[in-house]
Amino acid sequence: MKPIRIALTKGRLESKTIDMLERLGYDCTNARKKGRKLIMPIGSGEIEVVLAKAADVVTYVESGVCDMGVVGKDTIMEKGGTFYEVADLGFGKCKFALAVVKGKNLYEGYHNLTIASKYVNVAKNYFEQKSMDVDIVKIEGSVELAPVLGLADAIVDIVETGTTLKENGLVVAEEVCPVSARLIVNIASMKLRKKEIEDLIDKMENDVQKRRAKEA
Ligand code: PRP
């Protein structure tokens, strides 16, 4: 039987996803000692893990070359796409926030605001909901620099611990929405490998419930 191929987001979500797969009983030695490998079997070969950048996880799952994926809601909101979002995995928790230089009143004056973000669609949708016209500047990383350097009035970005904002003299002005890791499934795979995929989703959801119960 062909393994179920799962695309995992490299970096912050990677080890948390591997931890979860281990709790589900899959031997993840290959993923723990991967070196520079990007594709590897786990368990007794019934799952194949693919390590990819967040936006590429969506691309691989959407196209069907991966059956499932674990990716942040931030990427899903920014990139969109056609797939099933089947579970909130409850880790990788952070939020989207609008942040400004400490002491700045964002809404004084009548000029159009300039908002810097790596997440231009998220920023655009947020201000559209508020019926506000803003200019959006795409920044690829360390977006905190933009308001500090005077390029933007504010940023829309991920805030996890808040340390990056604090250390750069910024504060949250508005919370946009919470973010966490999501499990996504290719539409055709969901039909063709229904039983295996549903079993895996059930196991993951069980794990989420157990962790929630512990936290409560
Ligand atoms: C993200 C985000 C912030 C930081 C927030 O950046 O863009 O810069 O993490 O985390 P904190 O609230 O715990 O300080 P990331 O490290 O993903 O890199 P990037 O700036 O290149 O996007």
Side-chain angles (χ1 to χ4, degrees):
M1 192 64 165
K2 224 172 62 166
I4 293 278
R5 195 178 275 159
I6 309 182
L8 306 191
T9 302
K10 279 204 277 188
R12 290 183 195 210
L13 295 182
E14 183 179 334
S15 66
K16 286 179 178 156
T17 312
I18 303 287
D19 291 346
M20 178 184 70
L21 290 168
E22 276 180 340
R23 284 194 302 274
L24 301 190
Y26 297 101
D27 176 359
C28 292
T29 318
N30 289 332
R32 293 272 183 219
K33 297 194 293 188
K34 62 180 167 50
R36 300 289 293 171
K37 268 201 165 172
L38 298 172
I39 180 162
M40 64 216 85
I42 64 158
S44 24
E46 64 274 47
I47 293 180
E48 189 168 59
V49 157
V50 171
L51 296 175
K53 283 239 181 195
D56 301 335
V57 167
V58 172
T59 304
Y60 292 137
V61 172
E62 191 171 19
S63 69
V65 296
C66 290
D67 303 295
M68 308 174 86
V70 174
V71 66
K73 183 69 179 175
D74 52 330
T75 304
I76 295 175
M77 285 173 68
E78 179 62 20
K79 190 172 157 74
T82 309
F83 47 79
Y84 296 119
E85 183 183 324
V86 295
D88 179 346
L89 296 174
F91 55 78
K93 281 188 185 167
C94 50
K95 64 189 173 197
F96 267 126
L98 178 72
V100 294
V101 171
K102 198 174 175 187
K104 181 182 172 84
N105 177 0
L106 194 56
Y107 298 110
E108 72 188 359
Y110 290 96
H111 69 291
N112 257 14
L113 293 177
T114 300
I115 307 296
S117 190
K118 191 160 114 178
Y119 300 88
V120 290
N121 294 322
V122 174
K124 189 168 155 273
N125 291 338
Y126 181 64
F127 283 97
E128 262 175 21
Q129 267 174 32
K130 290 160 120 7
S131 302
M132 280 180 68
D133 231 355
V134 296
D135 298 320
I136 294 175
V137 184
K138 168 125 196 206
I139 297 289
E140 295 295 339
S142 302
V143 67
E144 294 81 5
L145 282 171
V148 174
L149 297 178
L151 177 70
D153 298 296
I155 61 173
V156 167
D157 198 23
I158 294 290
V159 178
E160 192 178 352
T161 60
T163 312
T164 314
L165 289 184
K166 199 166 175 217
E167 293 196 358
N168 292 288
L170 302 176
V171 290
V172 170
E174 293 165 25
E175 298 202 350
V176 174
C177 68
V179 167
S180 57
R182 303 298 160 100
L183 181 65
I184 61 173
V185 181
N186 171 263
I187 289 178
S189 298
M190 191 65 139
K191 288 200 187 91
L192 299 170
R193 309 194 66 173
K194 192 171 171 19
K195 171 90 178 74
E196 290 158 278
I197 288 178
E198 280 182 354
D199 284 354
L200 205 46
I201 297 172
D202 283 350
K203 283 191 197 168
M204 290 189 192
E205 276 182 337
N206 243 323
D207 182 72
V208 175
Q209 296 302 338
K210 277 192 207 154
R211 274 181 282 132
R212 272 208 199 117
K214 261 192 202 161
E215 278 168 22

